[in-house]
Amino acid sequence: MFRIPRHIGIIPDGNRRWAKENGLQKEEGYAFGLEPGRKLLQTAKKFGVQELTYYGFTVDNCKRPKEQVKAFSRACIEAVKSAEQENVKIYVVGNTKSSCFPKELLPYTKHEDFENNCHAGNPKVSISQHAKEMRVNFLINYGWEWDMKNNWASKDIPRVDMVIRWGGMCRLSGFLPIQTVYSDFYIVKDLWPDFKEEQFEDALNWYQKQDITLGG
Amino acid sequence: MFRIPRHIGIIPDGNRRWAKENGLQKEEGYAFGLEPGRKLLQTAKKFGVQELTYYGFTVDNCKRPKEQVKAFSRACIEAVKSAEQENVKIYVVGNTKSSCFPKELLPYTKHEDFENNCHAGNPKVSISQHAKEMRVNFLINYGWEWDMKNNWASKDIPRVDMVIRWGGMCRLSGFLPIQTVYSDFYIVKDLWPDFKEEQFEDALNWYQKQDITLGG
């Protein structure tokens, strides 16, 4: 039986490196990450993945040069709007109180699905398999310290079964430290704007060979 | 310049698989992890690594068959005693209140080094480079939930720069979720009892190619 991870975390790294390699300014890379995000969502949906969480940007990222902050904020807003077209439930998590949080995304910061809430956040408990719609979460102006200091602010996001990271680095970079305690990490060497459906399929195939012990 | 990670986390996975592959009972594998642990410590010391944290066993591991629990508890006690011979500072972290915690290790559960304490636990801050002795931590009857629920019980252990995991899995399995938010993960396919110094050196060489952004 082909096991589909219920919830996949996506770290879409490498936009700036891609821009430089293609003779663009660093901040011009983010726009090229939009189409990959849309394609990945459609592919995940096709495979029956029930939940995706995209690493948008962090509180720390906002210390970068202004033109970069502007560019990735805009890309994230567009990513959320684009995901909305795909008939999925959207949830945005991050520090809404700082000026870095895009106001356009405030309407998405309420977690609506009570059914999914009962065991939400507990990495030991997988959620009932009969959720009707796919759920897509975005971490926007997120910070692991902010998350921890605010009584686990991200707790409506449940356990992540697999994290797929583009751009070759093998690290979490602060992505949902509690939800990922048991996650399997799959690293794609290519940069995020070079996303291909096959990379996602390779990740799913790799996932078949991982046992699930949840620390036992 | 060759960058030596200040603090390396070690996940010595694969003892049971190694035992099965070598025609032994699963629980017989742990004893074969002792010599690797000693050799790794000596190698790390030689390279100037200032701190090591070994993943001993977890609260969840204690739900395994009794002979396994007995075997890995004994191996962990011996590992700590063996490390002590190497003129390093030892610190043991875990839930001492449960019956699974080996009484023999209680004397090691106090964090003694005040100098190292000032920034301890804050993954953003690296500790002064002039600590006199190498520090070796062991997670014994540790649990990430226990850690979080007890006001971050492991907070005297500082940021982990690199995690090296033996046994081929690419996951943290609950290893210090806060200290590893920015860690680079290096995976050794071989099982822990098949430890070779070269694997450690390969990890250090790989680490040279990772940039350190701490989420920036």
Side-chain angles (χ1 to χ4, degrees):
Chain A
M1 200 194 72
F2 201 77
R3 284 189 298 122
I4 297 292
R6 205 202 71 84
H7 180 191
I8 301 180
I10 301 293
I11 306 185
D13 194 24
N15 295 288
R16 293 182 296 168
R17 282 177 279 163
W18 187 91
K20 273 176 69 183
E21 285 178 11
N22 286 275
L24 302 169
Q25 296 295 310
K26 277 183 180 179
E27 66 270 17
E28 295 178 286
Y30 298 113
F32 292 87
L34 284 169
E35 183 57 16
R38 206 178 59 88
K39 265 199 251 166
L40 185 146
L41 196 165
Q42 291 171 342
T43 310
K45 204 176 180 184
K46 192 179 74 185
F47 275 101
V49 174
Q50 292 186 35
E51 188 156 358
L52 282 180
T53 299
Y54 287 98
Y55 210 5
F57 67 89
T58 66
V59 175
D60 282 334
N61 293 158
C62 289
K63 297 170 192 152
R64 291 183 187 167
K66 220 163 54 179
E67 58 277 16
Q68 282 183 39
V69 177
K70 218 172 137 180
F72 66 60
S73 300
R74 182 180 324 216
C76 283
I77 296 167
E78 286 186 43
V80 172
K81 303 268 184 197
S82 153
E84 212 177 10
Q85 312 287 312
E86 304 291 333
N87 192 27
V88 296
K89 274 192 186 129
I90 308 275
Y91 178 45
V92 167
V93 181
N95 183 359
T96 55
K97 285 177 190 160
S98 107
S99 64
C100 250
F101 190 91
K103 284 187 185 54
E104 294 89 332
L105 298 183
L106 281 172
Y108 304 94
T109 54
K110 242 199 213 155
H111 195 271
E112 286 174 4
D113 192 357
F114 180 77
E115 176 208 19
N116 267 5
N117 252 335
C118 39
H119 296 304
N122 184 343
K124 297 253 172 183
V125 179
S126 195
I127 276 170
S128 58
Q129 297 292 316
H130 47 74
K132 280 164 212 127
E133 281 177 309
M134 187 182 186
R135 178 179 286 284
V136 181
N137 313 305
F138 291 86
L139 306 187
I140 302 290
N141 201 35
Y142 173 85
W144 67 268
E145 275 177 300
W146 165 83
D147 194 356
M148 295 297 108
K149 282 177 185 160
N150 286 277
N151 193 24
W152 193 11
S154 70
K155 60 176 164 291
D156 283 333
I157 299 182
R159 186 182 84 218
V160 174
D161 300 298
M162 172 163 66
V163 174
I164 313 180
R165 179 172 183 142
W166 272 259
M169 301 298 177
C170 193
R171 56 171 84 142
L172 281 168
S173 303
F175 180 81
L176 298 174
I178 299 302
Q179 286 90 338
T180 56
V181 288
Y182 302 129
S183 304
D184 285 297
F185 311 136
Y186 183 84
I187 310 303
V188 180
K189 278 207 165 177
D190 296 303
L191 306 175
W192 173 244
D194 290 328
F195 168 83
K196 283 172 200 65
E197 217 179 290
E198 300 89 85
Q199 296 158 349
F200 186 81
E201 291 173 25
D202 289 345
L204 290 186
N205 287 327
W206 173 86
Y207 186 74
Q208 305 311 305
K209 291 172 270 171
Q210 314 310 311
D211 62 337
I212 311 292
T213 65
L214 303 184
Chain B
M1 201 195 71
F2 200 78
R3 285 188 297 121
I4 297 292
R6 205 203 71 82
H7 180 190
I8 300 181
I10 301 293
I11 305 185
D13 193 24
N15 295 288
R16 292 182 296 170
R17 281 176 279 163
W18 187 91
K20 273 175 69 183
E21 285 178 11
N22 287 272
L24 301 170
Q25 296 295 310
K26 278 183 180 179
E27 66 272 18
E28 295 179 284
Y30 299 112
F32 292 87
L34 284 169
E35 183 58 16
R38 206 178 58 88
K39 266 199 248 165
L40 185 146
L41 196 165
Q42 292 171 342
T43 309
K45 205 176 181 186
K46 192 179 75 186
F47 275 101
V49 174
Q50 291 186 36
E51 189 155 358
L52 281 179
T53 298
Y54 286 98
Y55 210 5
F57 67 88
T58 66
V59 176
D60 282 335
N61 293 157
C62 290
K63 296 170 193 152
R64 291 182 188 166
K66 219 165 50 179
E67 58 276 18
Q68 282 183 38
V69 176
K70 218 171 136 182
F72 65 61
S73 300
R74 183 180 324 217
C76 283
I77 297 168
E78 287 187 42
V80 172
K81 303 270 183 193
S82 154
E84 211 179 10
Q85 312 287 310
E86 305 290 332
N87 192 28
V88 296
K89 274 192 186 128
I90 309 275
Y91 179 44
V92 167
V93 181
N95 183 359
T96 55
K97 285 176 191 159
S98 108
S99 63
C100 251
F101 189 90
K103 283 186 187 55
E104 294 89 333
L105 298 182
L106 281 173
Y108 305 94
T109 54
K110 242 200 214 154
H111 196 271
E112 284 174 6
D113 192 357
F114 180 76
E115 176 209 20
N116 266 5
N117 251 335
C118 40
H119 296 305
N122 185 340
K124 296 254 172 183
V125 179
S126 195
I127 276 169
S128 58
Q129 296 292 316
H130 47 73
K132 280 165 214 127
E133 282 176 309
M134 187 183 186
R135 181 179 285 286
V136 181
N137 313 306
F138 290 86
L139 307 187
I140 302 290
N141 203 35
Y142 173 86
W144 67 268
E145 275 178 299
W146 164 83
D147 194 356
M148 296 296 108
K149 282 179 184 160
N150 286 276
N151 193 27
W152 193 11
S154 70
K155 59 176 164 293
D156 283 332
I157 299 182
R159 186 183 85 220
V160 174
D161 300 299
M162 171 163 64
V163 174
I164 313 180
R165 180 172 183 141
W166 271 258
M169 300 300 177
C170 193
R171 57 171 82 145
L172 282 168
S173 303
F175 181 81
L176 298 173
I178 299 301
Q179 286 89 338
T180 56
V181 288
Y182 301 130
S183 304
D184 285 298
F185 311 136
Y186 183 84
I187 310 304
V188 180
K189 277 207 166 176
D190 296 303
L191 306 175
W192 173 243
D194 289 328
F195 168 82
K196 283 172 201 62
E197 220 179 288
E198 300 89 84
Q199 296 158 349
F200 186 80
E201 291 173 26
D202 289 346
L204 290 185
N205 288 325
W206 174 86
Y207 186 74
Q208 306 311 305
K209 291 172 271 170
Q210 314 310 311
D211 61 338
I212 312 291
T213 65
L214 302 183

